[in-house]
Amino acid sequence: MKEIANILVMIFILSGSLLTLLSAIGVIRLPDVYTRSHAIGKSTTLGIMSILLGTFLYFFINDNHFEAPLLLSIAFVFMTSPVASHLISRAAYYSRVELWEKTVRDDLKHKRNEG
Amino acid sequence: MAFQILLNVFLAFVWMFLTVSFNGASFLIGYLIGLLIIFILRRFFHSRFYLIPLFVIVKLVFIFLKELLLSNIAVVKVVLNRSLDIRPGIFALPTELEKDWEVTVLSLLITLTPGTLVLDVSEDGRTLYIHALDVPDVKETIKSIKESFEKTIMEVSQ
């Protein structure tokens, strides 16, 4: 039983670090701020959450120790990370950072030009 | 809704005092009995029986988790694709939600949806400006997803 649970811990931590690596690759490969913020805001969130969950399960199974702060930090990361990526890309947009080749751009363009 | 929960806790305390046994188990029994009483008296409250919005909130949390997984798969696909054939763009989405927290939850959900990111909310809170990773093929499907999100959020706050 312990072995099976430890395999689960391994899967969580490995997939979390893999996702973090992939989002780092995404930051290098994607062309502009906004698409990069897609890669950062999503993959890193799930990556960190999965690493934290793996750590929590590890201590819970092996040491029988219920580490509640880890669960809390999962909730905090989950709530704050989308807001952070929203704020960063919004600030970038209003400081006139150029977009890559784009197709549709709506009303927001007028708003930026007048402000 | 908060008033009904508070009333239920109060009824559980009354049950504990009536039976003179102060422990978790009798609190639980009192809570269940209070739940039954509130269910019977539900037509005297202004809002709905409070378990219904509670279940919708649980549903919302599961939608959050599902969307987070799907968006990660989508982003990984884009990143690992050899040719970078994405067409990003910004589009406006009118929303019918009124309260501030509803718009916040909706934009959190949209940000966690595959390939969309909320760039700005208009001053009256009626339009969301969304940056999409791939405009041509996703725009319509995403709109339908958002209509379902919007509906779920409205269900919570009826």
Side-chain angles (χ1 to χ4, degrees):
Chain A
M1 193 58 217
K2 215 171 193 176
E3 304 308 316
I4 298 169
N6 272 328
I7 288 170
L8 197 69
V9 169
M10 218 150 71
I11 290 170
F12 269 126
I13 290 183
L14 275 179
S15 64
S17 31
L18 202 67
L19 266 175
T20 317
L21 176 70
L22 282 174
S23 77
I25 294 173
V27 170
I28 296 170
R29 278 204 66 193
L30 290 171
D32 69 347
V33 179
Y34 311 101
T35 46
R36 280 175 186 171
S37 128
H38 278 279
I40 277 287
K42 282 156 196 169
S43 308
T44 327
T45 315
L46 190 67
I48 289 173
M49 277 167 65
S50 142
I51 290 173
L52 284 173
L53 195 64
T55 320
F56 171 78
L57 283 179
Y58 177 82
F59 284 116
F60 188 60
I61 293 158
N62 292 309
D63 299 351
N64 227 345
H65 180 62
F66 190 87
E67 189 74 29
L70 284 174
L71 290 183
L72 267 186
S73 51
I74 288 175
F76 286 145
V77 167
F78 187 50
M79 282 190 294
T80 51
S81 155
V83 181
S85 65
H86 157 68
L87 281 178
I88 289 170
S89 43
R90 186 180 186 277
Y93 192 83
Y94 284 113
S95 11
R96 291 156 197 281
V97 175
E98 277 305 306
L99 290 109
W100 192 51
E101 61 151 48
K102 54 257 167 188
T103 47
V104 191
R105 285 181 60 186
D106 265 1
D107 241 9
L108 202 51
K109 199 171 161 191
H110 303 290
K111 207 171 156 187
R112 178 167 73 163
N113 287 340
E114 74 192 34
Chain B
M1 181 182 152
F3 172 71
Q4 290 181 36
I5 295 174
L6 215 60
L7 185 67
N8 203 345
V9 170
F10 176 72
L11 285 175
F13 271 105
V14 169
W15 175 261
M16 276 160 72
F17 277 92
L18 280 175
T19 54
V20 207
S21 62
F22 300 99
N23 50 43
S26 78
F27 180 83
L28 199 67
I29 292 169
Y31 197 87
L32 290 177
I33 291 170
L35 200 66
L36 187 69
I37 292 171
I38 287 176
F39 181 72
I40 290 168
L41 299 178
R42 67 190 178 281
R43 69 189 184 92
F44 295 104
F45 298 106
H46 295 297
S47 51
R48 291 169 299 169
F49 181 56
Y50 77 88
L51 282 190
I52 297 164
L54 223 58
F55 276 125
V56 180
I57 288 169
V58 170
K59 195 172 125 195
L60 210 58
V61 169
F62 276 105
I63 290 176
F64 261 117
L65 288 177
K66 196 189 105 201
E67 289 305 325
L68 191 63
L69 263 178
L70 285 180
S71 68
N72 274 285
I73 292 166
V75 167
V76 163
K77 260 186 200 160
V78 167
V79 166
L80 292 185
N81 202 347
R82 187 180 289 171
S83 58
L84 212 58
D85 55 348
I86 50 170
R87 292 185 168 277
I90 299 172
F91 62 94
L93 178 99
T95 174
E96 290 153 36
L97 299 175
E98 277 160 10
K99 294 186 197 104
D100 279 352
W101 71 265
E102 293 171 342
V103 176
T104 312
V105 170
L106 181 67
S107 36
L108 272 177
L109 271 170
I110 290 170
T111 304
L112 290 173
T113 318
T116 49
L117 177 83
V118 175
L119 258 189
D120 200 4
V121 182
S122 68
E123 261 135 50
D124 57 351
R126 283 312 183 88
T127 315
L128 299 175
Y129 297 99
I130 297 167
H131 182 273
L133 201 54
D134 211 355
V135 169
D137 55 290
V138 184
K139 200 172 166 184
E140 287 310 308
T141 51
I142 276 174
K143 243 179 185 162
S144 72
I145 290 172
K146 236 154 291 172
E147 261 142 37
S148 72
F149 284 164
E150 227 176 24
K151 229 173 66 193
T152 319
I153 293 172
M154 274 179 180
E155 254 175 71
V156 175
S157 66
Q158 257 170 17

